[in-house]
Amino acid sequence: MDFADALLVSIVTASTPLLLAAIGELVVERSGVLNLGVEGMMIMGAVCAFATSLTTGNPYLGILAGILGGAAMSLLFAFLTLGLVANQYATGLALSLLGLGFSGMIGENYVGTPGVKLPTLDIPVLSDLPVVGDALFNQDILFYIAILLVFFVSWLLFKSRWGLILRAVGENHNSAHALGYNVNRVRLYSVLFGGVCSGLSGAYLSLVYTNLWIENMTAGRGWIALALVVFASWLPWRTIAGAYLFGAVLILQFHAQGAGWEVPSQLLSALPYLATIVALVFISRNRTVARVNTPSCLGQSFVPDR
Amino acid sequence: MRLEMQKRQSPSQAMSLLSPVLAIILTLLTGAIMFSLLGFNPGKALYVYFVEPLLDPWSLQELVVKASPLILIAVGLTICYRSNNWNIGAEGQFTIGAICGSVLPIMFPDFQNYAVFPIMLAMGAIGGALFAYIPALLKNRFATNEILTSLMLTYVALLLLDFIVRGPWKDPEGYNFPESRLFHSYAQAPSLFEGGRMHIGALFAVIAAIVVFVLFIRTLKGFEIKVIGETPRAGNFAGFSKERMTVFAFLVSGALTGLAGILEVSGPIGQLRPTISPGYGFTAIIVAFLGRLNPIGAIFAGLLLALSYLGGEAAQVDLGISEKTAKAFQGILLFYVLACDTLIHYRIRIVFSNKTQVKEVA
C-alpha cells in the first residue's frame, strides 16, 4: 500500500461514521424533528457494539447491538418530544448528556481491552484497482451500508410516496395532518431511523475506527454530523461530499504530525471543530438558500387539535 | 393504548412547583432499580449517595463549593434559554474565563497586592463574555446555528487550555507536570470561614441569582426577554430587537460563566491544570432546567446536582459503585424534568383502544 492509498483509506475510515450519523439525522430533520441527541445515540451505539462483540466474539452481533442501543435512545427521545411534546432542543441535549453518562457507566469495565475487529469484505477485481481499490472496495460491511443508505435515503425522500409524505410533514405539519396523515407516526419512524443510523455510526467507531472503548470516544462527532446536515442543505448526496471533506480534516492532524510539522498537536486537533464553524458560516451566510432548504417545521412540536 | 394530550386553559401553578419534585422522586426510583441491577443494596446506595454527604460539616462545605459554579453558570443560562438563545458552550466559556483570569498570577507572579484578585475576576468575566460573543455574533451576522458553534468552540477552548498548561504556562519548577505555577496568596479566592473550603464564589452565586431574578420580574429587560422568548412576533411589533437580545444573553451568560471559571481555579484548584471542570458547563444546563429557568430555582437545583457529584465520590469510596453513575443520574434527572414539565401545560390521558374507556392520569 503506497501513501496515496493509505491516505485515502484513512480518510474513508474517518468519514464513514460522520456519513452514517448525518444521513440518519437528515431524514429526522426532513420530517421536522431536530434531534440534538446524535452524540448520545452514537456513543450508546458504540458502547453496546463494543461490549456485545467482545462478549460474544462476533462483531456482527456487535453491530446489531449498536443498532439497538441507538434505536432505544431515539425511542426515548420520541416518547418525550412526540408523546409528551417536550422541547426538542432541551430533550436532544438531555439525550446527549444521558448517553455520555450512561455509556461511561456501561463501558467502565471495558476500558483498555482490545475489541473484536470487523472484518473487511474484499470485492474481487474492483479492489485491485489502483489508488481507490482498497479505499472503496476492500472495506467492512458498515462502509457499504453507509453508501447504500445514501442511495436509499435519496430514493426514499425524492422518488417514493413515503418520502413525499415525510417531507410534507416536515414542511407543514398542519396541512399534512389535514390531509389525513398521522404526523407523529411519520416522525416516530423518522426518529427511529435516525437512531438506527447513529447506532451504526457508533458501532463503526468502536469496532473499526479505534477498536477500543474510550470514554467520550465520539468526541463531538455527533455534533459535527448535525452540522453536516446543515452543510449538505438537507440533500442526501451532499452529505457524502461533506463527510469526506470533514474526514479529510480529521485525518490531516495525524499526517501533519507524521510529516513533522512544527504545530502544536492541540491546534491540529482543534481543526475539525474550527472547520465546522467555518463551514456553518459559509453555508448559512446565504440566507435564501438556507431558507429554501430548511424544513419549515424543523424543531416544532405537533399536537393534533381535537 | 395511546397517550392523549389535552392543553390546559392556563399553565398549572401547582404542577410547576410539583414537576421538579416529581422528577427527583422518579430519578431516585430509577436509581434504586439501577443499583439493584448492578447488585447493590438500593437503600444503602441511595443513602450513601444522597444523605450521607449532608451529615458531615466538611462535605456540606464541599457541597457549596461544587454548587457555586453550577449556580453561577445556570443563572446566566436561564437568560439565554428564556430568550431562545441556545448557548450550550458554557464549558468552553468557563475554560476561557479561567485562562483569561489566570494571566496575572501566572505571567506576572511578582505583582502581588490586593488589586490582583478583583482584576482576575474582571478579566475572567470579560474573557468568558467575549468568547460567548462569538456564537452570538455569528448567529446575528450569518444566521449560523448557535447550538453547534457554541459547542464546537467548547472543544477548541478545552484544547487551548491543554496546550497552555503543557506549553507556555507550564510551571518551570513543576518537575515537568502539565500544571501552571501555583497562585500566590493574593490571587486566591478568599475563604468565607477561617480555614474552610468554602470561598467567596458562593456569595457571587447567590448575588447573581438574586440580581437576575429581579431583572426578570422587575425590569423592562426582563419583560423583553420573556416576550422575545415566548412570542418573537409580538416582540418584533413591540420594537424589541432579537439581535440585541441574543448579544445581551450571550454576553451576560458568558460573563457569569467566565467568573465561575476563574473562581474555580483561584479557589479550590489554585492553579491551571489540563482539566479544571468535571463538566460543570454541561451539568449547569440540567441545573437551569431543573430550576425551571428561574434563577432562585437554580440555587436549589445547583445544590442538588452538586450533591450528585459528592454522592458519586462517596459511593465510589464506600461501596465501590462507579463514580460514572453520577453522570448517568444527572442525565436521567434532566429527562424526567422535561417529561414532568409537560404536566404544567397539558393534561395527559391514557386512552385504551376506544374513547369509551378513558383513564385520567394527571
Side-chain angles (χ1 to χ4, degrees), chain A residues 65-147:
Chain A
I67 291 177
L68 290 178
M73 292 291 279
S74 71
L75 286 180
L76 211 57
F77 176 85
F79 175 68
L80 255 79
T81 56
L82 306 177
L84 298 176
V85 282
N87 181 312
Q88 292 181 9
Y89 290 79
T91 311
L93 282 176
L95 199 69
S96 283
L97 293 174
L98 181 71
L100 291 173
F102 222 63
S103 62
M105 206 174 87
I106 300 172
E108 202 175 25
N109 299 327
Y110 300 106
V111 175
T113 321
V116 183
K117 185 129 181 106
L118 193 62
T120 54
L121 305 171
D122 192 332
I123 296 182
V125 186
L126 287 176
S127 64
D128 296 330
L129 284 173
V131 187
V132 295
D134 268 322
L136 300 182
F137 302 107
N138 188 13
Q139 285 282 356
D140 49 83
I141 187 166
L142 285 175
F143 168 78
Y144 300 124
I145 290 180
I147 299 296

Side-chain angles (χ1 to χ4, degrees), chain A residues 220-306:
Chain A
R221 283 190 181 80
W223 298 97
I224 293 181
L226 276 160
L228 261 177
V229 177
V230 180
F231 184 75
S233 318
W234 292 269
L235 296 172
W237 288 110
R238 293 196 192 167
T239 53
I240 294 195
Y244 286 100
L245 207 62
F246 276 91
V249 177
L250 278 168
I251 283 304
L252 184 68
Q253 49 175 308
F254 299 112
H255 288 283
Q257 270 155 12
W261 288 6
E262 290 291 323
V263 187
S265 66
Q266 291 92 345
L267 176 68
L268 293 169
S269 306
L271 271 182
Y273 308 116
L274 291 169
T276 306
I277 296 174
V278 172
L280 279 173
V281 167
F282 189 74
I283 211 78
S284 315
R285 204 180 38 159
N286 191 339
R287 293 194 191 205
T288 38
V289 170
R291 204 169 295 150
V292 167
N293 290 305
T294 317
S296 308
C297 287
L298 188 59
Q300 293 171 21
S301 299
F302 178 73
V303 185
D305 274 332
R306 60 183 97 234

Side-chain angles (χ1 to χ4, degrees), chain A residues 34 36 89 93 223, chain B residues 86 88 145-152:
Chain A
L34 182 65
L36 294 177
Y89 290 79
L93 282 176
W223 298 97
Chain B
W86 293 90
I88 60 169
N145 183 323
E146 77 274 22
I147 302 173
L148 296 172
T149 48
S150 63
L151 190 90
M152 291 297 136

